[in-house]
Amino acid sequence: MVDQNNAPASDAPESPAVAPMNMIQALNSALDVKMAEDPDVLSFGEDAGYFGGVFRVTDHLQKKHGLTRSFDAPISECGIVAAAIGMGAYGLRPVVEIQFADYIYPAYDQIVSEAAKLRYRSAGMFTSPITIRSPYGGGIFGGQTHSQSPESLFTHIAGLKVVIPSNPYDAKGLLTAAIEDDDPVIFFEPKRLYNGPFDGWHEKPVSPWKAQELAQVPTGKYLEPIGKARVMKEGSDVTILCYGTMVWVSLAGAEHAGVDAEVIDLRTLVPLDIETIEASVKKTGRCVIVHEAPKTSGFGAELSALVQERCFYHLEAPIARVTGWDTPYPHAFEWEYFPGPERVAEALKATMKGGR
Amino acid sequence: MKKPNTQPLSLRVPEPSGRPGDKPDFSHLKLDAPGAVDRPAVSTAPFDMRDHAFRLVRVLDDDGQAVGPWNPKLDAETLRRGLKAMILTRAFDDRMHRAHRQGKTSFYMKCTGEEAIAVAQGMILSREDMGFPTYRQQGLLIARGYPLVDMMNQIYSNAADPIKGRQLPIMYSSREYGFFTISGNLGTQVPQAVGWAMASAYKGDDRIAISWIGDGATAEGDFHNALTFAAVYRAPVILNVVNNQWAISSFMGIAGGLETTFASKAIGYGLPALRVDGNDFLAVWAATQWAEERARTNQGATVIELFTYRGAPHSTSDDPSRYRPGDEHEKWPLGDPIARLKQHLIALGEWSDAQQEAAEKEAVEQVRAAGRESEAIGTLGQSRPSVKTMFEEVYATEDWRLIEQRREVGV
């Protein structure tokens, strides 16, 4: 008997080549297509099976690919990642979900001491081709434990790759690449962008994804390369380095400031597309870095140091950082904390005048 | 308002039965007689065999006779192979411990008194099954015939080190021998073993996983996570707890073993548990076989507490005379695993003192020969892999940072 539930998604003949998708649908499509293609790909996490995930990213995967391919996990982030590491060592390509990046810390030992170091410490005898997906970032009144951006805790760890998409097209292409990557990938999904781009003008209505070119997503398989930035907008005055939700905030901030900024969506923090960064800053002579995470020892510090090391003689102003404050993420002060377009615009204007 | 107690609260901090200068006291141990514990059917529901978590499966009696329902009835050849592997493991330990004293390496850890565990279990499972060992299961590699010289090369971090000088001595790794890469982080490998077993089940494979953890490390959250996942997904895995009474200087009571057994911890998870005399080669063998059959027949995981005693210092950096009675190991009521198996083989008429002496001599010679070969390549500091390899295998391919940094070092 043919199991209708196991029919691969990509076989549906009526599927159009490209369809408008929000980020959730794009991520779901990446998982669906990879699971149909490769029986060694499986997905699990808290509420990620039958229910399809609290953000619906794994919706319908269990029904379509079966109970053992997409299943629910105990509330144990350490256990989820450890099981994935064991599966990866066996030869599978597990994609696990940590419900919120704020809850990835119980798995930190497994990620840092194990997944990141398996290849190195065993001289390649054992590897960890796993993907850890996790919704991250603020701007949703998530308070302290539903808003964090812990990327710098992972970019600091040799052996990990860190990917953060900012739109549906990249989300699918990068997740597909992450699943195929032979190294452990931390894949942070800006939950503020799940249903539409968000530019930080929080009092204005949010536009849906379908109006955006980057929401036109191929229904079949494609890859976006890990380690390549995307120039979201070319410009000549100043380079903005950003990722995740801050890509859209930076675009809005540049417009608000009336500055011709070159906006670079890094997309992957490790490995970093240093060539694109270097070429842009050498062209513009100015650099503003924008991220949601707190400032001190945030990824912006690394970016600033790299730009200073490589573009020192081209710089016409100090490198500026627009970031979250060095506080826990607050609830009531969401918009004072969140680095919005006005703060980006101020930094751009100051940078154009030669610094603050 | 504060509620008064009938007496003031007080904090209990467990203390071992003996400290340096005290007479070793094991009178508190409740040890079942050899043959006294029944052998449940492999299909027994965990709920129906809870007593086994508090008993002690033993086969060899004081006269070296194999008694009771757990007697695995091994042929003499298998027994001799096991005995020789244990003798070789001890000879290897002795030499490498000495090598550290001679300044040939930075670190070593012996498994004296615990040889029966890894040796028997390494013989029972195949290399296709994956072992997730701690740093005290070197017997697994030795029982499977892993080259001693490669173990030494790893310990010396020399140019022939299979893991290229990257790891502290004794953190071996061998996919080929079913020996997962050892990590310094305690407990991490146990839930990984469960994940590996889940993968095997997911693929409909016929391989199982086996993991080890010490009594001390059961206090890590990973142990709890592993048992939960093993039970939930009915993973084909054997989860060993090697209770050698000591976690560096802390006695097992500090890990929560005073009022209960480590085996009993399985009960709350719905897993079957066996508690076994870890110095009894036959008991270890039989219990492992029981758990193996359970895993291979898709009935899930088993927790085995292997009750033993850490005879040696925790490591070459440790001095046990500062926290426990000096002769405690000699007074250990379950004796020595090598002496007990030797006695059994002699009782069977399959071994003799002369053969034992010859086997010990042969093991020392085997270790010495491997030592000569390894030391000819070099001990720590005399020989090492190319510095260039320091930057390799961080990722599948080097990214620009590593290439730049490698060039900065000039390699």
Side-chain angles (χ1 to χ4, degrees):
Chain A
M1 203 176 103
V2 177
D3 185 356
Q4 300 287 336
N5 289 340
N6 282 332
S10 49
D11 281 1
E14 70 275 21
S15 288
V18 172
M21 295 186 198
N22 64 27
M23 197 184 274
I24 292 165
Q25 292 161 331
L27 292 163
N28 181 265
S29 175
L31 285 163
D32 186 19
V33 170
K34 270 311 293 179
M35 287 172 80
E37 180 192 84
D38 182 354
D40 289 342
V41 174
L42 70 169
S43 156
F44 59 100
E46 296 158 17
D47 305 294
Y50 181 85
F51 183 60
V54 295
F55 290 106
R56 322 305 307 150
V57 173
T58 54
D59 198 18
H60 288 104
L61 295 178
Q62 185 178 91
K63 196 171 178 198
K64 194 159 175 181
H65 300 283
L67 188 62
T68 64
R69 307 263 336 252
S70 171
F71 54 88
D72 292 318
I75 302 175
S76 167
E77 290 77 14
C78 167
I80 289 168
V81 172
I85 292 168
M87 289 175 172
Y90 176 94
L92 303 184
R93 290 190 177 271
V95 185
V96 295
E97 177 177 304
I98 301 296
Q99 204 158 75
F100 288 87
D102 316 62
Y103 303 131
I104 203 165
Y105 311 121
Y108 199 58
D109 187 33
Q110 286 286 345
I111 296 171
V112 172
S113 309
E114 302 293 319
K117 295 175 175 64
L118 224 50
R119 178 189 296 279
Y120 191 75
R121 78 166 192 243
S122 70
M125 270 182 254
F126 297 95
T127 61
S128 193
I130 68 172
T131 304
I132 301 171
R133 296 181 33 246
S134 191
Y136 107 122
I140 55 149
F141 279 93
Q144 198 179 317
T145 55
H146 297 80
S147 307
Q148 293 171 35
S149 299
E151 64 272 18
S152 69
L153 299 179
F154 299 93
T155 57
H156 189 59
I157 305 303
L160 299 178
K161 292 182 176 175
V162 180
V163 176
I164 304 177
S166 73
N167 59 77
Y169 183 90
D170 288 351
K172 180 171 175 182
L174 287 167
L175 181 56
T176 309
I179 297 169
E180 294 194 355
D181 199 283
D182 290 330
D183 290 310
V185 179
I186 311 295
F187 194 92
F188 283 133
E189 304 164 359
K191 56 188 161 312
R192 191 63 183 81
L193 301 181
Y194 269 157
N195 290 301
F198 178 68
D199 60 14
W201 292 117
H202 55 94
E203 280 162 0
K204 294 180 186 165
V206 176
S207 60
W209 272 117
K210 60 174 185 266
Q212 296 285 336
E213 202 184 321
L214 287 168
Q216 300 304 310
V217 178
T219 53
K221 182 181 151 180
Y222 66 97
L223 301 171
E224 277 298 296
I226 288 177
K228 283 299 288 179
R230 177 191 281 283
V231 179
M232 287 294 281
K233 175 189 163 300
E234 289 189 7
S236 55
D237 289 347
V238 53
T239 298
I240 303 182
L241 302 179
C242 53
Y243 47 90
T245 309
M246 290 301 122
V247 171
W248 302 94
V249 172
S250 296
L251 288 165
E255 193 188 339
H256 188 60
V259 168
D260 184 24
E262 181 145 296
V263 179
I264 297 178
D265 176 359
L266 298 175
R267 302 201 299 182
T268 70
L269 308 190
V270 178
L272 185 67
D273 184 354
I274 193 68
E275 284 177 20
T276 299
I277 295 170
E278 205 175 321
S280 177
V281 177
K282 282 183 175 167
K283 180 179 77 174
T284 62
R286 291 176 165 87
C287 182
V288 172
I289 295 157
V290 189
H291 63 61
E292 286 180 73
K295 190 169 195 172
T296 302
S297 302
F299 192 64
E302 179 63 28
L303 290 170
S304 174
L306 285 169
V307 168
Q308 188 270 352
E309 284 165 12
R310 285 161 192 266
C311 310
F312 184 79
Y313 294 106
H314 293 80
L315 285 174
E316 291 168 40
I319 301 159
R321 283 183 286 163
V322 182
T323 70
W325 308 120
D326 287 324
T327 68
Y329 203 112
H331 186 248
F333 313 112
E334 179 84 58
W335 304 119
E336 284 79 16
Y337 180 93
F338 185 89
E342 281 174 307
R343 279 182 57 204
V344 173
E346 270 170 45
L348 289 170
K349 285 192 254 181
T351 300
M352 292 314 294
K353 283 187 210 144
R356 54 180 178 173
Chain B
M1 208 183 83
K2 223 173 108 178
K3 291 185 179 177
N5 288 337
T6 51
Q7 55 176 310
L9 296 176
S10 64
L11 181 69
R12 189 277 298 255
V13 178
E15 271 286 87
S17 56
R19 286 298 193 187
D22 293 343
K23 249 180 81 171
D25 177 13
F26 293 114
S27 57
H28 58 285
L29 296 182
K30 288 189 226 74
L31 304 173
D32 283 285
V37 177
D38 68 299
R39 186 184 187 280
V42 167
S43 59
T44 306
F47 192 83
D48 295 327
M49 52 178 288
R50 286 178 293 180
D51 280 357
H52 285 80
F54 301 95
R55 305 290 300 276
L56 197 66
V57 172
R58 299 175 66 194
V59 174
L60 290 171
D61 68 14
D62 291 346
D63 303 322
Q65 300 292 338
V67 298
W70 286 93
N71 181 3
K73 301 196 170 83
L74 299 181
D75 60 79
E77 185 44 41
T78 304
L79 292 171
R80 278 191 293 262
R81 270 202 300 131
L83 182 61
K84 285 178 184 172
M86 289 199 285
I87 291 169
L88 185 57
T89 302
R90 188 165 293 180
F92 183 85
D93 273 359
D94 287 344
R95 176 164 178 120
M96 298 323 290
H97 192 82
R98 234 177 13 255
H100 170 264
R101 294 287 184 252
Q102 295 163 346
K104 293 175 181 171
T105 183
S106 63
F107 186 71
Y108 192 71
M109 297 175 106
K110 298 170 89 172
C111 67
T112 311
E114 303 175 34
E115 292 91 345
I117 296 163
V119 166
Q121 296 186 316
M123 286 171 70
I124 293 168
L125 297 194
S126 93
R127 292 182 189 184
E128 300 297 311
D129 302 311
M130 188 57 73
F132 289 76
T134 74
Y135 44 67
R136 230 184 282 281
Q137 274 77 46
Q138 54 265 56
L140 190 66
L141 286 173
I142 291 172
R144 287 181 176 174
Y146 184 84
L148 299 182
V149 64
D150 286 338
M151 293 174 79
M152 290 179 178
N153 291 338
Q154 195 281 326
I155 290 163
Y156 293 145
S157 287
N158 66 20
D161 176 0
I163 50 174
K164 304 181 186 175
R166 291 172 184 161
Q167 275 264 61
L168 193 70
I170 69 146
M171 305 274 179
Y172 315 107
S173 178
S174 175
R175 177 181 277 279
E176 201 191 328
Y177 284 76
F179 192 98
F180 190 71
T181 165
I182 295 180
S183 169
N185 294 66
L186 295 186
T188 52
Q189 77 284 0
V190 186
Q192 292 167 7
V194 175
W196 197 97
M198 287 169 69
S200 184
Y202 167 82
K203 295 292 278 185
D205 200 350
D206 50 11
R207 296 187 286 166
I208 66 173
I210 179 166
S211 72
W212 292 265
I213 191 169
D215 47 294
T218 61
E220 292 281 3
D222 298 64
F223 182 66
H224 162 70
N225 300 327
L227 266 56
T228 301
F229 276 63
V232 167
Y233 300 110
R234 205 174 287 166
V237 60
I238 302 172
L239 302 161
N240 294 296
V241 178
V242 181
N243 177 4
N244 68 12
Q245 316 302 317
W246 292 96
I248 308 185
S249 72
S250 303
F251 89 116
M252 56 85 181
I254 291 293
L258 206 56
E259 280 86 10
T260 189
T261 68
F262 291 97
S264 75
K265 306 210 172 201
I267 294 172
Y269 297 87
L271 294 172
L274 295 172
R275 190 158 171 272
V276 179
D277 177 351
N279 292 12
D280 179 340
F281 187 86
L282 298 183
V284 174
W285 189 287
T288 308
Q289 251 182 352
W290 189 93
E292 179 196 22
E293 189 185 336
R294 196 174 169 92
R296 291 209 198 280
T297 52
N298 216 24
Q299 297 179 82
T302 303
V303 173
I304 305 178
E305 176 183 347
L306 298 138
F307 198 66
T308 183
Y309 188 91
R310 194 195 79 212
H314 166 70
S315 73
T316 46
S317 309
D318 176 47
D319 175 10
S321 71
R322 296 175 62 180
Y323 51 79
R324 69 184 189 189
D327 56 346
E328 210 181 57
H329 184 218
E330 291 153 42
K331 302 285 158 55
W332 180 242
L334 296 172
D336 178 80
I338 293 177
R340 286 176 68 193
L341 186 57
K342 170 194 162 192
Q343 185 196 16
H344 175 56
L345 267 163
I346 290 175
L348 290 176
E350 296 284 354
W351 197 246
S352 65
D353 282 323
Q355 278 174 292
Q356 177 77 14
E357 208 177 299
E360 282 170 6
K361 212 180 254 177
E362 193 193 321
V364 167
E365 192 40 56
Q366 211 179 327
V367 172
R368 193 177 287 153
R372 277 195 296 266
E373 199 183 326
S374 177
E375 288 179 25
I377 300 164
T379 56
L380 182 68
Q382 295 178 338
S383 158
R384 60 178 187 172
S386 135
V387 178
K388 183 173 175 285
T389 61
M390 177 168 74
F391 295 96
E392 292 168 356
E393 287 158 332
V394 179
Y395 298 94
T397 51
E398 275 179 323
D399 69 31
W400 60 269
R401 298 172 299 165
L402 292 165
I403 293 166
E404 282 188 1
Q405 289 167 23
R406 177 161 54 74
R407 286 180 185 149
E408 220 174 298
V409 176
V411 288

